[in-house]
Amino acid sequence: MLKVLTELKYLFKRFVIIANAAPAVLGFFIALRYHDAYFTDYWLDFILLVVGALMIVGGALTLNNWLEADVDRLMERTKNRPTVTGTIPMPIILLIGIVLSFVGEVLLWLINWEVALYGFIGWFTYVVVYTMWTKRRFTWNTHIGSISGAVTPMMGWAVIDSTFHVIPISIFIIMFLWQMPHTYAIAIRKQEDYTNSGLQMLPVVKGKRVTIRRNAIYIALLLFVPLMVRGYSSLFYILITILNVAWFIIALAGFKATNIKKWANILFASSLAYLLLMYTLYVVFA
């Protein structure tokens, strides 16, 4: 039993599945607080959201593993996945991915069509457009992958209200821009792996200096996102601006860094802290 759980941990990329499903939960609570709604009115929808999000994300990640088994065996960080070790037969992995994706989408549909739509957009962009069409061909594959991650908080908001609202749209933009520096930091830290795999990651194809410049641009754009948000207190704008400026300073430090990999480690850690603090501000001040 323990061995099976270990294999599933590698198959579902345990931290990745949580990191992708959690924004849906946070989006739900931001909407709940903003609209002064009661959790007791949405408890069933919340359960469907959590289970549905975990299943559809898990399905997408499983299909990603199935599709990338050939390159995963070339990278140190992915060599323990069951698609590489063969501990779970490939047809079973494909079946798991399809079933989880389908059931997850059905559960989201039971909430409402808008939640299901964002679930499908996230799944399709990650599995088809990102994994199948762009990741092996173009350096801008990261932008496609960022779309799939950016729609997850909109799933949570859509449980309560339509996402045609400035707050979920602003969170979508933040999530989209955030994922580029976050992913590029990983690509710099694991550049040897990506070089061996042949995947078209920006640091591998264009070099680290180009990646550092791109990081600075994307994080600089985050400075303007609070300008579109309405209805929050002045303290929210002050704190989120401080947060954006602090991360921008870390990005600028890359231009002077003598040890680029060490700087990438700092950028990666700060990206996680940034995301946690950003969501905290949105929830607290909603």
Side-chain angles (χ1 to χ4, degrees), residues 50-255:
V50 172
V51 178
L54 285 171
M55 293 189 75
I56 199 168
V57 171
L61 293 173
T62 301
L63 292 173
N64 169 266
N65 286 345
W66 184 79
L67 289 164
E68 293 189 341
D70 58 329
V71 296
D72 280 347
R73 62 174 46 95
L74 302 176
M75 296 192 288
E76 186 70 21
R77 71 186 186 90
T78 57
K79 67 179 183 179
N80 291 322
R81 290 177 181 171
T83 48
V84 176
T85 62
T87 51
I88 301 177
M90 291 293 279
I92 298 299
I93 291 175
L94 176 61
L95 180 63
I96 291 173
I98 293 173
V99 170
L100 285 177
S101 300
F102 177 77
V103 176
E105 182 65 14
V106 170
L107 293 177
L108 297 179
W109 185 265
L110 292 175
I111 303 172
N112 63 56
W113 68 269
E114 194 171 356
V115 177
L117 175 63
Y118 288 123
F120 177 76
I121 290 173
W123 181 91
F124 184 81
T125 53
Y126 186 77
V127 175
V128 179
V129 188
Y130 173 66
T131 303
M132 296 177 64
W133 293 349
T134 64
K135 197 173 181 181
R136 300 176 189 239
R137 297 182 178 88
F138 310 106
T139 58
W140 46 266
N141 68 76
T142 308
H143 298 73
I144 302 300
S146 295
I147 294 173
S148 62
V151 297
T152 50
M154 301 186 83
M155 289 165 52
W157 181 283
V159 174
I160 309 297
D161 190 28
S162 170
T163 54
F164 290 95
H165 189 285
V166 68
I167 290 178
I169 291 173
S170 70
I171 297 174
F172 172 87
I173 295 171
I174 290 173
M175 287 291 293
F176 177 79
L177 294 172
W178 171 84
Q179 285 177 97
M180 256 73 79
H182 175 76
T183 305
Y184 292 154
I186 296 173
I188 292 174
R189 294 166 69 222
K190 305 294 183 182
Q191 186 165 351
E192 292 182 4
D193 266 358
Y194 284 112
T195 300
N196 293 335
S197 71
L199 296 176
Q200 299 297 293
M201 303 304 291
L202 186 65
V204 175
V205 178
K206 299 292 186 179
K208 294 176 182 176
R209 291 296 168 183
V210 171
T211 306
I212 291 170
R213 288 198 295 271
R214 298 278 182 88
N215 278 331
I217 292 171
Y218 293 127
I219 296 176
L221 291 173
L222 287 169
L223 293 166
F224 299 96
V225 177
L227 299 177
M228 66 183 292
V229 181
R230 296 291 183 271
Y232 277 63
S233 69
S234 299
L235 184 57
F236 168 82
Y237 300 105
I238 293 171
L239 292 176
I240 199 167
T241 299
I242 292 172
L243 182 61
N244 286 331
V245 170
W247 203 29
F248 184 55
I249 292 172
I250 292 174
L252 293 178
F255 289 102

